[in-house]
Amino acid sequence: MTSDSPVDLTAFVKTYDVRGLVGSQLTPEVVEAFGAAFADEIGGDATEIVVGHDMRDSSPEFADAFGRGATARGANITLLGLCSTDETYFASGSRNAPAAMFTASHNPATYNGIKFSRAGAQGISLDTGLSSIRDRASAFLADGIDQAPTPGSVTPFDALPSYAAYLRSLVDLAKIRPITIVVDAGNGMGGLTVPAVLGTAAGLPELPITIIPLYFELDGTFPNHEANPLEPSNLVDLQKAVVEHGADLGLAFDGDADRCFVVDEKGDAVTPSAVAAIVAVREIARVHAASPDEHISVIHNLITSRAVPEAIEAAGATPVRTRVGHSLIKDEMKATGAIFGGEHSAHYYFRDFWGADNGMLAALHVLAEFGSGSSPLSELTDHYTPYAASGEINSTVTDVPAAYARIVEAYTGSGEFDELDGLTVSGTFDTGEFWWFNVRPSNTEPLLRLNAEAATPGGMVQVRDAVLALIRA
């Protein structure tokens, strides 16, 4: 295989994954080259590679093309077929095999992509091998793929039953009070995994949970709404359904079902920071009970609420503050031995899940915590949401360095500066109430991302609006 018009892979090989337009950027030929490149990167002959894919129209064809490239270089493919991203992590971790997942997560139907993992569900970023995979794939596109002396094989494998059973083994829901939940799968892979994990579709015992399904039909055209619950407009149907049905809570999954968002009984969105705090406290208590002398660390990125590290410390563990980023946090989980990690974007990482993220597992923890008490979810989550946060606000900026300089000039002398990731400025008002904000440039677009938090709503609005005025001046 050679290409007369080499594709510029740098245009759609991102920091943590491959994500591009189907047809113009990602084609079967390009994907086949990625398969060969990945096989060479992770070991070549006779290496097992787990391959899964979501419900996008192009995903099965791409998974097959990837398999052709990898088997040509001697690797053996374990083909999961339709699955969620965290199901692929499960197969990678439990089989100690590298993996490739075909999905564009929450992106529109015109996109697809590849998420790579090393054996044991370890992340791969540009700095830890993705740039090498990209360069190898470019060479294969230009020069063709050399056939290994012994081609590899392709073996189908259904990981869903063992995946569902493993999650159930980590969080016991058998004795919770009877609850009713609405689940919006967004026509994504949650439509496959939710009935298996929370229902009986994988042959597991029935739980005291009544599920009201929304958009469980697998459809990569996303006919109802984008499978991106981070956008408030995509939660509207779930919020209405929770209130209309008098449900106890609602869950929304993104397209590849590795992120989960929660809605309380009033239809109000629960912040991912509150979810992170709830899960952190539960995991700390579990590990303390099993290993009283263990020093426990929990990761949170720098734009989660201040309430998260406060909850971690109050539960008797050490909070570890990190930069934002999927593969980076996976690396930090491994380096620190942290038992859990939470991000503002609703990615939740578990030591018991090979340090990988799993939105379904976070949902199980929320259901267990809620179901073991008698309070409504809003009361439980209010405890972990004591402060006012802006959420992430993106601004298109023609001159990012100039905007950054305006912020530095305005806050020099009135706040403490921290450049762990972008610029974080923190301080206190004359009343003694705290405030902080973080501004981060996008890696790929002329954007600045603002997150602000303060002790009171009025304080947050004051800080948010002042910084936005500087960004957009």
Side-chain angles (χ1 to χ4, degrees):
M1 178 192 71
T2 59
S3 175
D4 296 329
S5 304
V7 179
D8 179 15
L9 302 187
T10 62
F12 56 95
V13 176
K14 309 296 185 182
T15 305
Y16 303 113
D17 58 18
V18 175
R19 201 168 300 191
L21 288 165
V22 175
S24 59
Q25 293 177 321
L26 282 176
T27 64
E29 181 183 42
V30 168
V31 170
E32 188 174 343
F34 273 116
F38 188 54
D40 281 9
E41 175 67 20
I42 50 84
D45 290 355
T47 299
E48 179 189 13
I49 299 175
V50 172
V51 178
H53 66 78
D54 70 10
M55 66 293 133
R56 292 167 187 267
D57 291 346
S58 58
S59 290
E61 180 184 21
F62 283 166
D64 289 344
F66 187 91
R68 286 197 300 274
T71 54
R73 299 298 297 156
N76 295 319
I77 298 298
T78 298
L79 190 62
L80 303 184
L82 278 167
C83 64
S84 63
T85 290
D86 47 22
E87 196 181 331
T88 306
Y89 295 150
F90 167 77
S92 175
S94 61
R95 300 173 74 88
N96 197 33
M101 172 69 185
F102 281 85
T103 181
S105 185
H106 59 275
N107 286 101
T110 50
Y111 285 81
N112 211 326
I114 318 170
K115 293 182 177 180
F116 294 107
S117 303
R118 294 190 185 276
Q122 294 301 302
I124 299 180
S125 66
L126 280 177
D127 295 334
T128 59
L130 186 52
S131 60
S132 176
I133 295 168
R134 177 197 64 204
D135 295 344
R136 290 176 189 269
S138 292
F140 283 132
L141 279 171
D143 304 327
I145 298 173
D146 295 330
Q147 299 289 316
T150 305
S153 61
V154 177
T155 304
F157 176 68
D158 181 8
L160 188 58
S162 51
Y163 162 80
Y166 182 68
L167 295 195
R168 288 268 197 106
S169 76
L170 296 177
V171 182
D172 184 7
L173 294 171
K175 297 178 181 178
I176 64 171
R177 55 178 158 146
I179 60 176
T180 298
I181 66 173
V182 181
V183 180
D184 185 345
N187 299 109
M189 292 312 305
L192 181 69
T193 57
V194 169
V197 177
L198 296 180
T200 58
L204 298 175
E206 186 175 3
L207 295 172
I209 300 174
T210 299
I211 300 172
I212 299 169
L214 282 183
Y215 314 137
F216 272 37
E217 304 78 19
L218 302 184
D219 188 338
T221 66
F222 307 112
N224 296 289
H225 59 71
E226 285 189 357
N228 180 16
L230 195 58
E231 287 292 331
S233 61
N234 296 323
L235 284 177
V236 171
D237 290 354
L238 175 64
Q239 292 168 312
K240 288 181 179 177
V242 167
V243 174
E244 287 173 0
H245 290 280
D248 293 298
L249 59 91
L251 303 175
F253 291 90
D254 66 347
D256 59 337
D258 64 344
R259 287 189 299 157
C260 182
F261 294 74
V262 182
V263 168
D264 69 21
E265 80 286 354
K266 299 176 182 177
D268 294 331
V270 177
T271 70
S273 286
V275 172
I278 290 169
V279 179
V281 170
R282 286 180 52 84
E283 283 288 83
I284 293 165
R286 181 185 62 80
V287 175
H288 267 318
S291 306
D293 297 328
E294 180 178 347
H295 175 77
I296 299 174
S297 298
V298 176
I299 285 173
H300 67 99
N301 73 23
L302 80 170
I303 52 179
T304 55
S305 169
R306 178 178 284 197
V308 177
E310 289 177 349
I312 293 166
E313 288 184 333
T318 301
V320 178
R321 182 171 175 264
T322 73
R323 292 182 289 144
V324 176
H326 178 262
S327 292
L328 179 146
I329 290 186
K330 279 187 174 180
D331 293 342
E332 286 290 314
M333 290 286 291
K334 185 177 181 180
T336 63
I339 64 167
F340 174 67
E343 287 203 275
H344 71 294
S345 55
H347 281 289
Y348 306 106
Y349 306 77
F350 296 84
R351 184 172 70 181
D352 284 352
F353 199 70
W354 301 277
D357 53 313
N358 189 322
M360 182 71 75
L361 185 50
L364 295 186
H365 276 285
V366 172
L367 293 173
E369 186 67 18
F370 168 74
S372 62
S374 58
S375 302
L377 185 63
S378 58
E379 188 174 314
L380 171 64
T381 56
D382 279 352
H383 174 71
Y384 293 104
T385 317
Y387 310 127
S390 66
E392 191 153 274
I393 303 170
N394 292 326
S395 300
T396 302
V397 181
T398 54
D399 190 340
V400 170
Y404 195 89
R406 288 194 296 271
I407 296 168
V408 170
E409 181 180 3
Y411 283 91
T412 297
S414 62
E416 294 185 7
F417 285 44
D418 174 353
E419 294 186 283
L420 173 66
D421 190 353
L423 174 66
T424 301
V425 184
S426 57
T428 55
F429 294 110
D430 293 340
T431 59
E433 297 174 339
F434 82 87
W435 57 266
W436 66 264
F437 69 84
N438 171 269
V439 177
R440 294 176 301 120
S442 167
N443 290 325
T444 56
E445 302 171 271
L447 293 176
L448 280 176
R449 309 187 191 279
L450 169 67
N451 284 269
E453 184 177 57
T456 63
M460 183 278 290
V461 170
Q462 181 179 334
V463 172
R464 179 199 67 194
D465 291 353
V467 180
L468 278 177
L470 292 165
I471 291 173
R472 297 172 178 178

